[in-house]
Amino acid sequence: LRADRSVLDLLRSDTTFLNERLAVQYGIANVRGDQFRRVVLTNPNRFGLFGKGAVLMGTSYGNRTSPVLRGSFILENITGTPPTPPPPGVEQFPETEAGHKPQTVRERLESHRANKSCNACHGVIDPLGFALENFDVTGAWRDRDRDAGEAIDARGVLASGARVNGPAELSAALLARPEQFVHAITEKLMVYGLGRPLRHQDMPTVRAIVRAAAAREYRFEDIVQGIVASDAFRMNRLPPATPETRTAQARSAN
C-alpha cells in the first residue's frame, strides 16, 4: 500500500525481510544479526507467499505436511473458489502401518484419492498442495522425504489443465489469470470493509472494482479506493437495534 505496488506482488515478489535466524531457515547466506532487513531473493521458489514459512507452517500438521490444507488455502484465499466441506463419515488420512515401509505423503494421498467420491474434490485440491511438497512442515526446502527416503514429487495437473512442478511454476500458472486472484482479494477486503458476508448482489461491484484496477496493474490502493467509493460501502448501515443491543449500549454508557 505505501509503495503503491500491485497486489500481484503477493505471488511474485522477489523480496522479503530476514534476520540471520530466518535466513538460515530459508537457506540464504550472508545475512548476519538479529535485525530484520530487506533481502532480494534469487530462488524463484521463494518468491511471493508460497515461499514463506508462515504460510507453509500454517498449512501443515505438527508431524507432516498437508497437500490438502495447502491446496485448500490456495482455493480459499488465492483463487476465491473454496472447496466444499468433506462429507460425513469420510475416511481419515491413511497413516503408515507399523512394520510397513514408510510412504510419502503423496503416496498415501494417492491411495486415498482412489475412491471416486474422494477424488471429486481432492482431484482439484491436491495438485495445488503437491506443488509445495518440497517445503517441509516449517517451510525449509527439501529434496527427499525424510521418513520414506524418496525424492519429492511436486508435479501436478491443475483444474485449468496447466501442468506444474514446484512452487515457481504454481505461481506462474496462477498469475496467468491475474483477475481471479485480484477478485479474491477484493472480496476479502469488501467483507472487511462492509463488516458482513458478501451477497450475490455485491458481485457486480466486485467485478467493476477489479476491471477498474486493471488499468494500473491492480494496485492495492486502487482496489481500496474502489471499495470505499462503492455504494455498498458508502451506504452501508448498522443493523437495526434490538432490545438486547440497547441494553448493552446503556450499560456501556453508564
Side-chain angles (χ1 to χ4, degrees), residues 32-250:
R32 299 286 183 267
D34 295 331
Q35 184 69 34
F36 279 85
R37 79 292 310 266
R38 183 177 179 272
V39 175
V40 177
L41 303 168
T42 57
N43 180 359
N45 290 312
R46 286 288 180 192
F47 291 2
L49 289 173
F50 297 152
K52 303 303 176 285
V55 171
L56 297 163
M57 189 172 182
T59 53
S60 298
Y61 292 112
N63 62 336
R64 63 170 174 82
T65 59
S66 175
V68 177
L69 290 182
R70 289 176 175 177
S72 297
F73 171 85
I74 294 171
L75 291 174
E76 170 71 32
N77 299 289
I78 305 301
T79 66
T81 54
T84 57
V90 66
E91 296 180 9
Q92 293 185 348
F93 182 80
E95 301 292 347
T96 300
E97 298 182 14
H100 289 71
K101 182 181 182 297
Q103 293 181 304
T104 64
V105 170
R106 184 185 185 112
E107 288 171 336
R108 283 179 275 167
L109 267 176
E110 291 289 359
S111 63
H112 185 62
R113 292 166 60 209
N115 187 320
K116 290 184 179 180
S117 63
C118 295
N119 191 55
C121 291
H122 284 274
V124 177
I125 299 171
D126 295 355
L128 296 164
F130 287 149
L132 303 178
E133 267 295 274
N134 279 110
F135 294 117
D136 69 10
V137 172
T138 63
W141 185 266
R142 58 180 182 169
D143 292 311
R144 306 187 72 82
D145 185 285
R146 184 181 63 180
D147 296 327
E150 302 287 342
I152 296 294
D153 184 356
R155 294 173 299 171
V157 180
L158 307 186
S160 64
R163 295 181 178 274
V164 298
N165 185 3
E169 292 186 10
L170 174 62
S171 295
L174 295 174
L175 285 167
R177 297 183 61 189
E179 70 285 347
Q180 187 174 30
F181 174 52
V182 180
H183 194 284
I185 289 283
T186 305
E187 284 190 16
K188 300 286 186 184
L189 289 172
M190 279 199 71
V191 168
Y192 178 80
L194 300 180
R196 61 167 174 80
L198 297 189
R199 300 186 287 264
H200 69 275
Q201 296 95 331
D202 298 310
M203 291 303 106
T205 299
V206 173
R207 291 191 290 270
I209 293 170
V210 172
R211 287 195 299 269
R216 288 213 312 150
E217 202 184 15
Y218 306 111
R219 303 286 171 172
F220 190 88
E221 179 180 337
D222 294 339
I223 295 171
V224 173
Q225 288 183 347
I227 293 171
V228 173
S230 69
D231 290 344
F233 184 87
R234 291 186 298 108
M235 299 181 181
N236 196 23
R237 295 184 298 176
L238 293 173
T242 64
E244 291 78 10
T245 57
R246 291 194 191 98
T247 301
Q249 289 170 355

